[in-house]
Amino acid sequence: MLLISFEELCQSAHIKQEFIVEIVDYGIAKPVSGEKTNEWVFDTGSVKWLKKAINLHLELEMDWFAVAMIIELLKQKEALKTENQYLRQRLER
């Protein structure tokens, strides 16, 4: 698992700190460690979800609660798709 600090995440993904704090508050993404904001460390897989959440919020003018619900559904869809692919591979054996 690759990790990225809060500051590195903001700089590399060009994301405002306030957005990341809101996203964490709504449970869209969770730091893997750190108690204070400036100590947060994220899994690099979170970057994809952070960017999607911000795009939904800005481009579709959705509130964070709605964004959180949509991101959760997209994560579930992705997990089901992965499981389906795995099961199909097992059936082909």
Side-chain angles (χ1 to χ4, degrees), residues 62-73:
M62 299 178 87
D63 65 30
W64 288 113
F65 182 75
V67 170
M69 288 177 40
I70 290 171
I71 294 295
E72 182 59 33
L73 290 171

Side-chain angles (χ1 to χ4, degrees), residues 3-10 38 40-42:
L3 302 176
I4 187 168
S5 73
F6 178 74
E7 188 176 308
E8 290 171 329
L9 178 60
C10 292
N38 62 343
W40 284 349
V41 176
F42 294 88

Side-chain angles (χ1 to χ4, degrees), residues 39-93:
E39 298 172 348
W40 284 349
V41 176
F42 294 88
D43 177 345
T44 53
S46 298
V47 175
K48 171 176 111 174
W49 298 113
L50 287 163
K51 287 182 176 183
K52 283 185 186 214
I54 290 168
N55 285 340
L56 287 169
H57 177 71
L58 294 176
E59 292 177 15
L60 299 178
E61 299 178 1
M62 299 178 87
D63 65 30
W64 288 113
F65 182 75
V67 170
M69 288 177 40
I70 290 171
I71 294 295
E72 182 59 33
L73 290 171
L74 288 171
K75 286 179 180 180
Q76 287 177 11
K77 178 186 171 207
E78 188 174 280
L80 288 170
K81 185 176 180 181
T82 301
E83 181 181 4
N84 190 20
Q85 288 173 340
Y86 169 74
L87 292 171
R88 283 180 187 258
Q89 288 176 348
R90 290 199 58 202
L91 279 173
E92 291 175 3
R93 289 183 190 177

Side-chain angles (χ1 to χ4, degrees), residues 1-37:
M1 169 173 38
L2 296 174
L3 302 176
I4 187 168
S5 73
F6 178 74
E7 188 176 308
E8 290 171 329
L9 178 60
C10 292
Q11 291 174 354
S12 66
H14 307 290
I15 300 172
K16 293 180 182 179
Q17 292 181 358
E18 305 85 51
F19 284 153
I20 295 175
V21 171
E22 294 236 27
I23 288 168
V24 169
D25 286 345
Y26 280 92
I28 297 167
K30 295 177 181 144
V32 292
S33 68
E35 291 186 26
K36 297 178 182 176
T37 305

